[in-house]
Amino acid sequence: MTNSKPLEGLLVLEFCQFLAGPSAGLRLADLGARVIKIERPNHGEAGRQIAIKNLRVDGSSLVFHTLNRNKESYAANLKDADDLEKVKELIAKADVMTHNFRPGVMEKIGLDYSTVKAINPQIVYATVTGYGTKGPWSAKPGQDLLVQCMSGLAQLTGDKNDSPTPFGLAVADIITGSHMAQGILAALLRSAKTKKGALVEVSLLESMLDFQFEVITTYLNDGNKLPQRAEKGSAHAYLGAPYGIYATKDSHIALAMGGFDRLAELLGPDQLKAYSEKETFTKRDEIMSILRELLLEKSTQEWLDLFEPANIWCSAVLDYQQLLQHEAYKVLEMDQKLPLDTGEFIHTTRCPIRLNDQKIFASKPAPRVGQHNDAITQEFNL
């Protein structure tokens, strides 16, 4: 069995910064593509300065290191004619080019799709914007929290009386990066058949709307009734009891599916059996209130021991410490440590994809700004 990766031999030029575009490049790089980041001299791309909890390693933020493993860095001033010409020489030899500049920026630089297509007709040119290239929001900053709130997503999380609650991570960026990678791979398959390139466009807002297709479709087909979060323990605005999170005697338990009637039979009290399966949404808060009282009587593990053999879909609610110590996590071997030139290590997760039963680990850490300029200049005769 060969250890080669499916995208080996593919050359990607990444003009992206922050999270969405680089996360697409990360996935391509993990799958074997050669990804060269085109960065500003000295400071590099802006994502090097995004420091969650001010965690920095080797001069760049920890966030940057998590998104840019397996990549190279070529520093170029795109406003300098000589540097721009060298970049165009790289474009002529590339398979894919990505960027997430605002609409109009690449046109001013002279690296818009029409210009690049003339240089390399077979290139796949992929872009990320915040809200598309047209309309009243097209010039607004494309930022994860803003898009979560503008897309309606923040109205789905939390309980009925909570303020709008966004996800506690950059979900818009990561989902958009995933869509970008999918679009690039689809365009590459087409290019292999037709020898023609393609323009791939994604936006944070469109990705967040797609992320919510389940609930938006419900809204559009249910008389435009807005989602209603449960009184307490809410986990899905359009699903009925028992779907949600409940406190137990010692922690919490999540109840998903498995049949309300079966759950009521297991728990026993007549006041729960008085409700039918058809009432689990219309009388959701009443039912969940009864469940909250009942589930306080035993520990989470005691409930799991009762529910799981009865095919009630349930889970303990873990924190990271509990998860990382659990055998179900350990068997996945998701951990990897990337050694830096400084002697430090980046402890992170691996690519979640497995190929031919082989897990994909990174071969090198994120680059320093312009780390590969000399080697790339010599290799491509720039």
Side-chain angles (χ1 to χ4, degrees), residues 77-150:
N77 179 0
L78 298 181
K79 296 180 180 179
D80 178 86
D82 290 339
D83 279 7
L84 183 60
E85 187 59 34
K86 292 176 181 177
V87 167
K88 287 182 177 180
E89 291 179 36
L90 286 174
I91 288 172
K93 300 170 183 177
D95 300 292
V96 178
M97 171 178 166
T98 67
H99 80 79
N100 62 348
F101 291 110
R102 292 190 196 184
V105 172
M106 283 304 232
E107 284 77 4
K108 291 180 181 179
I109 294 173
L111 292 178
D112 55 282
Y113 177 55
S114 295
T115 303
V116 168
K117 183 180 178 181
I119 298 171
N120 184 346
Q122 201 169 331
I123 200 166
V124 173
Y125 185 103
T127 71
V128 183
T129 60
Y131 314 92
T133 59
K134 300 178 182 178
W137 288 354
S138 60
K140 289 179 68 66
Q143 198 278 334
D144 191 277
L145 174 61
L146 305 184
V147 176
Q148 287 195 46
C149 293
M150 294 165 68

Side-chain angles (χ1 to χ4, degrees), residues 13-18 22 35-49 59-61 64-65 68 71-79 83-84 87 90 98 101 111 365-373 376:
L13 301 182
E14 180 179 280
F15 293 75
C16 295
Q17 54 188 354
F18 301 120
V35 179
I36 300 176
K37 292 184 68 68
I38 309 298
E39 302 188 81
R40 298 175 300 169
N42 302 318
H43 297 293
E45 67 119 311
R48 289 182 180 272
Q49 308 308 316
S60 294
S61 72
F64 176 85
H65 281 278
N68 292 284
K71 299 179 186 178
E72 301 169 46
S73 173
Y74 182 83
N77 179 0
L78 298 181
K79 296 180 180 179
D83 279 7
L84 183 60
V87 167
L90 286 174
T98 67
F101 291 110
L111 292 178
R368 293 173 176 171
V369 179
Q371 180 176 341
H372 302 95
N373 271 49
I376 290 171

Side-chain angles (χ1 to χ4, degrees), residues 15-37:
F15 293 75
C16 295
Q17 54 188 354
F18 301 120
L19 272 73
S23 71
L26 167 67
R27 193 59 63 232
L28 299 177
D30 278 345
L31 292 172
R34 182 181 183 183
V35 179
I36 300 176
K37 292 184 68 68

Side-chain angles (χ1 to χ4, degrees), residues 230-233 241-242 245-248 253 255 260 263-276 279-280 283-298 303 307:
E231 190 72 36
K232 190 173 182 181
I245 296 175
Y246 302 84
T248 64
I253 190 171
L255 295 179
F260 174 74
L263 179 65
E265 181 182 335
L266 284 171
L267 291 172
D270 291 338
Q271 72 258 42
L272 198 59
K273 294 179 180 179
Y275 295 93
S276 69
E279 296 176 302
T280 55
K283 297 184 178 180
R284 175 179 60 184
D285 287 338
E286 295 177 25
I287 296 170
M288 291 181 75
S289 179
I290 296 170
L291 287 172
R292 280 197 296 274
E293 292 185 19
L294 291 172
L295 293 171
L296 285 171
E297 296 176 1
K298 296 181 180 181
W303 289 124
F307 294 152

Side-chain angles (χ1 to χ4, degrees), residues 155 160 225-230 234 236-239 281 284:
Q155 303 287 351
K160 183 176 181 180
K225 297 174 185 175
L226 288 171
Q228 295 295 319
R229 298 175 291 183
S234 184
H236 193 299
Y238 284 122
L239 289 182
F281 184 79
R284 175 179 60 184

Side-chain angles (χ1 to χ4, degrees), residues 12 35 45 59 62 119 124 154 185 199 205 224 226 233 235 244 246 275 279 304 306 375 379:
V12 179
V35 179
E45 67 119 311
L62 187 62
I119 298 171
V124 173
L185 293 174
L199 172 63
L205 181 59
N224 293 353
L226 288 171
Y246 302 84
Y275 295 93
E279 296 176 302
L304 294 175
L306 175 65
E379 178 184 352

